Amino acid sequence: MDSREFRNAMGRFATGVTVITTNDGTDAHGMTANAFMSISLEPKLITISIDNHANMLKKIKASGQYAVNFLSDQQQDISMNFAGQKKKEDGVDFGFIQGVPVIKESLASVVCDVEQEIVVGDHTLFIGSVKDVKVTDGNPLTFYCGKYGDYRQKEYA
Ligand code: FAD
Ligand code: NAD
C-alpha cells in the first residue's frame, strides 16, 4: 500500500479541525491539526500527534504547555493559515489562558501541561494534563477526504 492509498482511507474518517497553540519564547506559534483525542476523565487527559519534522514539535518541548482550539465553521481561514496553505492577510488575534496563547472565538480551547511525550513512528504524541477550558457556541469546521466542510445536524429517531 502506498502513502496516498493510506491517506485516502484515513481521510474517510470525518474530523473536526483544531489549531494547536503554544508559547514560542514571547511569541505565539500555531499549527493546524486533526489528530486529537480525549483520552481520560480522571485524571483529565488529552493527546495530540505532531509530525517529527514540524516546527511545533520543538516549541511544545521547550514550553511544556499547549492549547488545542476547536475551530468553528467561520474559521477556515485560520485553519489554512496555520497549515501553511494560505496566509491570513489581517493576521491572527490571540487570547491568553493561564499564559498560554489561544485562538479567539474557537468553539473550545483546552489548555494543558505536557504530562508525557511518546515517539511513535514519524510522529510524537503529547499527552496533556488539562488545566483549563473555555467554550463558545457555534458550529464546527470539518475535514473529510482532504476537504473542508461544515456540519449540519440531522436528528435520527
Ligand atoms: P510552520 O509551518 O512554521 O507554521 C504553520 C503555519 O502557521 C505557517 O504558515 C506560519 O506562518 C503560521 N503561523 C505560526 N505561528 C503564527 C503566528 N503567531 N501568527 C500567524 N501565523 C502563524 N500535522 C501534524 O503533525 N499533525 C496533525 O494532526 C495534522 N493535522 C492536520 C489537519 C489538517 C486539516 C491539515 C490541513 C493539516 C494538518 N497537519 C497536521 C499538517 C500541519 O498543519 C502542517 O504541516 C503545518 O504547516 C506544520 O506546522 P509547523 O509547526 O511545522 O509550523
Ligand atoms: P490528506 O488526504 O493528506 O489527509 C487525509 C487523512 O490522512 C488525514 O486526515 C490524516 O488522518 C491522514 N494523514 C495525512 N497526512 C498524514 C501524515 N503525515 N501522518 C499521519 N496521517 C496523515 O489531506 P490533505 O488535504 O492532502 O492534507 C493537507 C496536508 O496536511 C498534507 O500535507 C497532509 O500530510 C497534512 N496532514 C497531516 C496530518 C498528520 O500529520 N497527522 C493529518 C492531516 C493532514
Side-chain angles (χ1 to χ4, degrees):
M1 183 201 327
D2 68 7
S3 298
R4 189 63 264 171
E5 198 179 349
F6 176 78
R7 285 161 61 178
N8 285 347
M10 296 305 110
R12 279 166 170 73
F13 183 61
T15 66
V17 182
T18 82
V19 170
I20 296 162
T21 43
T22 194
N23 276 314
D24 178 10
T26 52
D27 294 328
H29 183 79
M31 188 196 101
T32 300
N34 68 347
F36 163 81
M37 185 169 50
S38 170
I39 50 175
S40 166
L41 194 58
E42 292 302 337
K44 293 174 184 58
L45 300 172
I46 62 167
T47 193
I48 53 173
S49 179
I50 307 285
D51 191 304
N52 291 336
H53 293 110
N55 291 325
M56 180 54 91
L57 188 86
K58 49 185 180 295
K59 293 177 194 289
I60 294 182
K61 279 173 178 271
S63 74
Q65 292 179 305
Y66 65 87
V68 183
N69 305 272
F70 304 160
L71 298 188
S72 82
D73 58 3
Q74 305 301 305
Q75 294 177 310
Q76 183 179 329
D77 55 349
I78 292 181
S79 176
M80 293 180 80
N81 181 84
F82 289 108
Q85 292 170 325
K86 188 175 177 218
K87 193 176 165 63
K88 191 169 176 290
E89 295 301 335
D90 54 349
V92 179
D93 212 8
F94 292 96
F96 287 87
I97 299 177
Q98 299 199 10
V100 180
V102 294
I103 304 289
K104 285 187 177 172
E105 289 161 25
S106 302
L107 297 181
S109 295
V110 184
V111 178
C112 304
D113 287 343
V114 174
E115 171 94 7
Q116 215 180 323
E117 201 181 303
I118 308 167
V119 180
V120 196
D122 57 12
H123 280 55
T124 298
L125 303 181
F126 287 96
I127 295 177
S129 167
V130 177
K131 296 298 159 201
D132 209 346
V133 295
K134 179 175 184 288
V135 299
T136 308
D137 289 336
N139 294 308
L141 180 65
T142 63
F143 191 66
Y144 179 69
C145 283
K147 292 193 173 65
Y148 293 106
D150 57 19
Y151 162 85
R152 305 211 188 289
Q153 186 156 21
K154 192 172 169 186
E155 287 185 16
Y156 295 95

